[in-house]
Amino acid sequence: METYTLGYKFRIYPNRTQENLINRTLGCARFVFNHFLAVRRDEWKANHNSLTYVKTSKLLTDLKKREETAWLSEADSMALQESLRNLDRAFQNFFAKRARYPRFKSKHSHNQSYRTRNQTNGIRIIDKRIKLPKIGLVRIKQSRDFDGRILSATVSRAASGKYYVSLCVEAEKGSLFCPNDGKQIGIDVGLKVFYSDSNGDTVENPHPLKKLQRKLRREQRRLSRKMPKSVNRERARVRVARVHERIANIRRDFLHKISTRLARENQTVAVEHLNIKGMLRNHKLAKSISDVSWSEFFRQLTYKTKLHGGELLKVDTFYPSSQTCSACGYHTPLTKDLSIREWDCPACGTHHDRDVNAAKNILRKALEDKSKVA
C-alpha cells in the first residue's frame, strides 16, 4: 500500500517545569549544531577532511562524557541526533549549490525549534495531552483528528512566546485520497481580488497585512521607545510578534481553505506560471504581492490536486492571456494597459471582463498544451 506523509501542527500548553525542559532542549540542540559546525569547518581548514554525520555522531557521544558538557545528557538524545542531521543536510545543500554555507544559530533568535523521532511509541496523543520524550504529557489543542503513524515531532517556540508541536505522520494514501468532482477551471490571480476564474467567479483578497497595518505600526512605535534589554521592551516585542502572527494565521487559513476547495471540486486546475521572485523587485508592488502570497497558494495547489487525484497545469509566463479574446481568439495589444478592466473584442464584439477572460484563456491554453504533450 502506497503511503503519504503529512504534517499536522498543534498548539501546546506546557507548564512552567515543561517550559524549562523545552527551553533547555532548544539550547542543547543549538549548542550541538554550532559546536559541530565549528568542528567540521576547522577540520576542513586544517586537513581538508570532510566529517560525515556518522563521525560527528560518535564525537557527540564523547562530548556527553566530558565533565564540562555533561549537561547535554539531560536533553532528549534524539533531538541532539536530529540537530546533527540538520547540520549534515545543510552541508549537502551547500555542496549541491542549493543554499549558502551553514551559519551559526543565535541564542537571541525568537523563533527556535528542535525535532525528535518517534521511537518505541514515545510520541503519542493521550486524550487531550501529547507525550513527548523527556518532557512528559503536555496539554495540546488538537484542532483535527488524523490516522497514521507518527514519525517525528518538531517542538517550536514562536516569537510570540507560544509553543507548538508539528507532527510528521505517515498514512496510507488510500485513506487520504478524496475523489474530486471532475470539473475544470482556469485561474487568473490578482492583487485587488485574489483570483478570477473561468466560470466568472471572483474571490476577494483578505489583505491581512493591509487591515492590520495600523495596529502593527502603533505597536512598532511603542517598541522603538522602550529602553534596550528592559522588561517593558520584551513585553512590547511580544505584542509586535503577536500582530505578525495574527497576520500570518489569517493568510494561512485563507489559503488552505481556498486551495482545498479548488482541489476537491476540480480534476484540472490551470494557472499562469509567474516569476514571483522577479515581480517582487518592483518595490511599488512588493508589499502587496507578498501580502497575497501567490507562491504559497501555488505550492498548496500542487500537492492538494495530486492528493485528490487531480492535476495542476501551468501556462507559460509570456502567454498573452489578457490580450486574447476567449470567444474568437483575436489578439489585441491595446489591453496591455492594466487600467482597462473591461473591453469589447474588435473582431466579434464580445464584451469581456479582463480577469475572467484571462482565466478562460489560461484554461484553454493549458488543455491545448497538455494534448500536444500527450
Side-chain angles (χ1 to χ4, degrees), residues 311 313-314 364-374:
E311 58 182 351
L313 304 179
K314 293 188 177 182
R364 180 182 54 81
K365 177 64 173 174
L367 294 175
E368 286 180 359
D369 293 343
K370 180 186 175 182
S371 62
K372 289 177 183 178
V373 174

Side-chain angles (χ1 to χ4, degrees), residues 307-332:
L307 186 61
H308 289 82
E311 58 182 351
L312 180 68
L313 304 179
K314 293 188 177 182
V315 173
D316 185 75
T317 308
F318 300 104
Y319 172 66
S321 58
S322 300
Q323 303 169 40
T324 304
C325 174
S326 58
C328 67
Y330 181 80
H331 178 261
T332 171

Side-chain angles (χ1 to χ4, degrees), residues 158-210:
S160 60
K162 299 175 183 178
Y163 291 86
Y164 297 91
V165 62
S166 299
L167 301 177
C168 181
V169 178
E170 183 184 60
E172 293 182 359
K173 193 171 183 180
S175 64
L176 300 171
F177 180 77
C178 180
N180 57 68
D181 294 342
K183 299 177 183 178
Q184 296 177 334
I185 193 171
I187 289 175
D188 181 59
V189 294
L191 294 177
K192 290 188 177 180
V193 294
F194 185 70
Y195 74 72
S196 301
D197 63 35
S198 53
N199 299 323
D201 300 321
T202 59
V203 173
E204 292 299 318
N205 193 337
H207 292 294
L209 177 60
K210 186 177 180 180

Side-chain angles (χ1 to χ4, degrees), residues 6-25:
L6 286 174
Y8 298 90
K9 186 175 182 179
F10 306 113
R11 187 175 174 186
I12 55 176
Y13 300 86
N15 55 38
R16 186 61 59 88
T17 303
Q18 291 170 336
E19 276 188 24
N20 292 333
L21 288 172
I22 291 174
N23 293 335
R24 196 179 305 166
T25 307

Side-chain angles (χ1 to χ4, degrees), residues 37-48:
L37 172 55
V39 169
R40 292 182 66 154
R41 179 200 61 191
D42 296 342
E43 178 65 19
W44 176 259
K45 286 183 178 179
N47 306 315
H48 280 269

